[in-house]
Amino acid sequence: MPTNFTVVPVEARADGGRDEGAEQAGAPGPPEGAEHERPSPGDGQPRENSPFIGSVDVDTESLSERKNMALFEEEMDSNPMVSSLLNKLATYTNLSQGVVEHEEAEDSRRRQAKSPRMGTFIGVYLPCLQNILGVILFLRLTWMVGVAGVLQSFLIVSVCCTCTMLTAISMSAIATNGVVPAGGSYYMISRSLGPEFGGAVGLCFYLGTTFAGAMYILGTIEIFLTYISPGAAIVHAEGAGGEATAMLHNMRVYGTCTLVLMATVVFVGVKYVNKLALVFLACVVLSILAIYAGVIKTAFDPPDIPVCLLGNRTLSRRSFDVCAKAHTANNVTASALWGLFCNGSAASTSCDPYFVQNNVTEIQGIPGVASGVLLDNLWSAYADRGAFVEKRGVPSVAVPEESRAGGLPYVLADVMTSFTVLVGIYFPSVTGIMAGSNRSGDLRDAQKSIPTGTILAIVTTSFIYLSCIVLFGACIEGVILRDKFGEALRGNLVIGVLAWPSPWVIVIGSFFSTCGAGLQSLTGAPRLLQAIARDAIIPFLQVFGHGKANGEPTWALLLTALICETGILIASLDSVAPILSMCFLMCYMFVNLACALQTLLHAPSWRPRFRYYHWTLSFLGMSLCFALMFVCSWYYALCAMLIAGCIYKYIEYRGAEKEWGDGIRGLSLNAARYALLHVEHGPPHTKNWRPQVLVMLNLDAEQRVEHPRLLSFTAQLKAGKGLTIVGSVLEGTFLDKHREARRAEENIRALMGAEKAKGFCQLVVSSSLRDGTSHLIQSAGLGGMKHNTVLMAWPEAWKREDNPFAWKNFVDTVRDTTAAQQALLVAKNVDLFPQNHERFGGGHIDVWWVVHDGGLLMLLPFLLRQHKVWRRCQMRIFTVAQMHDNSIQMKKDLQTFLYHLRISAEVEVVEMVENDISAFTYERTLVMEQRSQMLKQMQLSKTEQEREAQLIHDRNTASHSAMAARAQAPPTPDKVQMTWTREKLVAEKHRNKDAGMSGFKDLFSLKPNHSNVRRMHTAVKLNDVVRERSQDAQLVLLNMPGPPKNRQGDENYMEFLEVLTEGLNRALLVRGSGREVVTIYS
């Protein structure tokens, strides 16, 4: 429904004055030549280039707009006014995104300035007609009618045309869902299905277009050597039966020369090809009109086209003229036919048995529409290769054990025929429906022209093909229809003999139409490859995105010519056609898939102007294309799908990341939503448990990751399976730190890509590191996909004097994970952990199992050994036995437990002998407690200083309030005014200082706490045993003791962990969540 706009001008001020806000005296402008830094989008994600948003140029007109719209000045820095937006909409031209991204700015402006003027008829309808009506119509359609019969031929054409019609409907919906830039079908598929599918199908479409050029060139040479100039053959047959081989060699020689000539024409200038396009199209139209005229003429004046039969077998008229066994001439009774079947002219000469037993007859090859021959041609006549072309209903005397010796003038079937073979040969004749969409950049209104022109062209060509099938079956004798090369017609083109006024109309018209189609293929295929290369989704193809200074794809043309040459070397039109069918069917299948996918996803951006579509039609078209692929040739179909699959995986693995808002991404989002809604929110079953890791990374001042090997260890632990969330915290407020946060997130994502750690990045800006870490532990993940394990690095700088409280965040994180019932992994000496490219040639992964907290200690080495870094390491499990334990029985029980867990490992039980606490343990404990007391004193001094400042503030506030009260009320001598004097402040400071000094003096008279001594004794003793047994281990996994319930001993807890892991190269402290993560049951 059209919308009417009324433009109402805003009247200027009567006094002619200027806006006061616009007259800012002395407002400095940017220096000359300085560039304005344009703010990036809020989320930092790359967007598709838009000619409307974010492209405002500051000129005189925009300055005047700013005066009148001062309220929207900040918005106008990045967004245009409606007037400029509508102006750009009116002058916008259809450009492919690849051009906008990769061409120079001058070239882009030059292309935008060019206004397309082609309408529906010239821009879409006629190009589609030219591409659909071609070599198959002139060279193979009559043969297909004769072999398959009218009914099955009608079925083949109907199915193929239905397939293209459904594809055209889907293509019309996609083409009218917004502006379609130049690039046509590739652009539609890639932007609808994503870069992986777009690249794979785009390359298949490119290969199909390239092999189409080879097919058209082979058709051109076949017409030339068979029907125009048979004497031009360079290679001649040697011996009987060598004609087919000689023909193949001639096709290769002439085809290569023709390819070089056509490639040169395309290289010199495409404008010559475009100028000749209408001439070639006129040849096609005149040829079709001549066919219909010839059919009409046969109704009242059938042509005299005699066909010679021997029995019921068709004879080739290339080597004889008179269809008779013998005749009298110059008193000599003989005939050319007699000489072909007999050894001499005498009556006693031995002849071919079939020649002797059967009579020679002559029938009319084109009896006409009114002859009733249609009934004879309704049914199929499939035959094997080398079979005789026989007429049904004619009596024939069979000869037993007949040898089909070469040299006899029979018309033989050159290929084995079946319904599936004919489908593969015929389908290329209905391709070409993308010709209009490929010219979308040159159309005046692509959204209107593409659906209308394409569907009308399919309807027209479908009518032509179906009517020709019926008319050929009604006019031409069956043996002539099955005579592929017109041998029974003295080498004339079958469809040419039918045409009026002359067979040369069809011969010349088909020759030029196939030449034109070949030129069009060699013109379009390099541009398609150039568009794919410029999108940079396949790295090794980027060289083909370059060309001449005017943009012509020189390198792409060279590759196209080489691939086309491979098709020409096949030298058989019937063998090349199924290859085309596979490529185009795969392309059409994904066009239908794209439309069905977009329709079912109900994306807000899916609003096509073409309304006559439905997802069921697209699904039917997709299914039909898939079925036709296997009907044509199941092994070609498998090869095409394998090639497309390899390209898909290559793009997924090495290709560039592109966000095109494609349907596959939307499908992934819907599938993810569906899966998340159906995943249980509770903990998974033990058999499904795997570590879903939240990796806590620390960042330096430049927002770079401090310990990148922590991500390497994550990738080795996960091996691409399960959930990985990489989290980090920036201190500050989001408004002040959003740029740093974006930079840090980019750095983390880049490191994740380099370390091949697949997962998600979640960065939090918080007022404190402690709060941010707690927020991540609580809220990371979504629904049932939440982490159950936290991985972090050991705080190596927890003893540094400049930051004596760095350990508090670590201890609080341990408490948070315990409260959240999550496992915790702490990597000690993480910078010594191996990178992904390193390989351990041997060694051990030692597990020190002291406390059972769910079995995570058993599971982690098993997961690590799945990665190639740790694959050759052996697993050893150590457990600690006390004095009252039976170590022998413990070892047997542990081996049985591991056997049921299906984990192979060496088992060793270490006996911890109770002995006296050493002096070293006392000394270590004393040093620890002295340090702890010093930290408390420092904390107390800091607290009292803050209390002192607060007291001064409160006293001053009270003093001001009292003065204000006295000014308003009479004096009250009963009230006493307290003041905070300088002397009192100095005395208070000295008092606090003396108290602090006395506290520090008490440090030297401390005695170690008995509980701390016992804990330190355990840590020292266990560390000695671990270092003795696992000093050379590649990795040591230890139970991580929990923090004390009393927060007063947090600093001692850090010292215990330090002593426990002292002297170990690589250590991983493991604290389970308390729930079982391994099970012996299936």
Side-chain angles (χ1 to χ4, degrees), residues 301 304 401 441 901 974:
D301 185 16
D304 184 19
E401 298 182 1
L901 287 178
D974 296 335

Side-chain angles (χ1 to χ4, degrees), residues 841-859:
H844 296 89
I845 301 177
D846 287 355
V847 177
W848 285 85
W849 191 20
V850 180
V851 179
H852 178 66
D853 51 3
L856 186 58
L857 272 172
M858 311 292 178
L859 187 61

Side-chain angles (χ1 to χ4, degrees), residues 944-1009:
E944 291 193 355
Q945 289 175 10
E946 293 176 352
R947 187 185 305 162
E948 179 182 314
Q950 184 65 32
L951 182 60
I952 295 173
H953 179 268
D954 294 341
R955 296 287 179 88
N956 288 334
T957 303
S959 175
H960 286 298
S961 301
M963 292 175 62
R966 283 199 304 269
Q968 296 180 359
T972 56
D974 296 335
K975 300 286 182 76
V976 179
Q977 176 65 37
M978 299 296 294
T979 59
W980 184 261
T981 63
R982 184 179 186 88
E983 291 77 9
K984 290 183 179 181
L985 176 62
V986 174
E988 184 70 18
K989 285 185 176 181
H990 283 292
R991 186 176 65 83
N992 291 334
K993 184 176 180 181
D994 293 339
M997 291 300 295
S998 63
F1000 283 113
K1001 290 177 182 178
D1002 292 338
L1003 293 177
F1004 299 100
S1005 61
L1006 281 176
K1007 291 184 179 181
N1009 183 277

Side-chain angles (χ1 to χ4, degrees), residues 7-309:
V7 181
V8 181
V10 180
E11 295 182 1
R13 294 176 55 175
D15 57 357
R18 301 173 60 188
D19 195 312
E20 294 180 359
E23 295 181 348
Q24 298 294 335
E32 185 176 357
E35 296 182 358
H36 295 277
E37 182 180 356
R38 181 164 296 177
S40 59
D43 57 359
Q45 296 295 327
R47 299 292 197 274
E48 253 189 273
N49 288 346
S50 172
F52 313 130
I53 305 300
S55 57
V56 180
D57 297 328
V58 180
D59 51 11
T60 307
E61 184 178 355
S62 63
L63 290 176
S64 63
E65 287 177 350
R66 291 178 180 232
K67 296 176 184 178
N68 296 327
M69 294 292 177
L71 182 61
F72 298 93
E73 278 185 349
E74 294 183 357
E75 282 76 7
M76 284 190 285
D77 288 336
S78 58
N79 299 325
M81 292 295 292
V82 174
S83 58
S84 60
L85 170 65
L86 296 177
N87 181 44
K88 292 189 177 186
L89 279 170
T91 59
Y92 177 63
T93 59
N94 302 330
L95 280 173
S96 68
Q97 186 192 22
V99 175
V100 174
E101 290 178 348
H102 300 284
E103 286 291 336
E104 298 293 333
E106 293 79 10
D107 189 43
S108 298
R109 284 195 292 268
R110 177 180 60 82
R111 291 174 180 267
Q112 289 178 356
K114 183 175 63 176
S115 59
R117 300 180 179 275
M118 297 175 67
T120 302
F121 185 75
I122 296 179
V124 180
Y125 182 73
L126 292 182
C128 286
L129 281 184
Q130 182 182 4
N131 282 268
I132 296 175
L133 301 173
V135 61
I136 301 296
L137 172 64
F138 299 119
L139 297 183
R140 294 293 183 268
L141 189 60
T142 55
W143 172 73
M144 187 184 79
V145 174
V147 172
V150 174
L151 295 181
Q152 291 193 25
S153 299
F154 202 89
L155 177 62
I156 292 174
V157 174
S158 299
V159 170
C160 294
C161 291
T162 302
C163 177
T164 55
M165 177 60 76
L166 293 175
T167 305
I169 292 173
S170 300
M171 183 188 68
S172 300
I174 299 174
T176 57
N177 187 50
V179 178
V180 179
S185 55
Y186 163 69
Y187 182 91
M188 290 189 294
I189 296 173
S190 60
R191 269 55 176 183
S192 297
L193 294 179
E196 293 87 2
F197 278 107
V201 182
L203 279 183
C204 287
F205 189 55
Y206 162 74
L207 292 176
T209 307
T210 304
F211 276 103
M215 185 187 73
Y216 292 131
I217 292 175
L218 290 175
T220 302
I221 303 306
E222 182 177 317
I223 294 172
F224 177 74
L225 291 178
T226 307
Y227 307 113
I228 296 179
S229 179
I234 299 176
V235 180
H236 299 281
E238 296 180 0
E243 294 84 357
T245 304
M247 184 65 179
L248 292 178
H249 291 316
N250 287 314
M251 296 278 281
R252 294 185 179 102
V253 173
Y254 276 98
T256 302
C257 297
T258 306
L259 174 62
V260 172
L261 179 62
M262 288 185 175
T264 305
V265 172
V266 173
F267 176 78
V268 170
V270 183
K271 58 182 180 179
Y272 302 109
V273 179
N274 295 331
K275 288 179 180 180
L276 293 174
L278 289 178
V279 177
F280 297 143
L281 180 60
C283 295
V284 175
V285 174
L286 288 177
S287 300
I288 294 174
L289 293 177
I291 293 172
Y292 282 112
V295 170
I296 294 173
K297 181 177 178 295
T298 61
F300 54 86
D301 185 16
D304 184 19
I305 308 294
V307 177
C308 188
L309 300 178

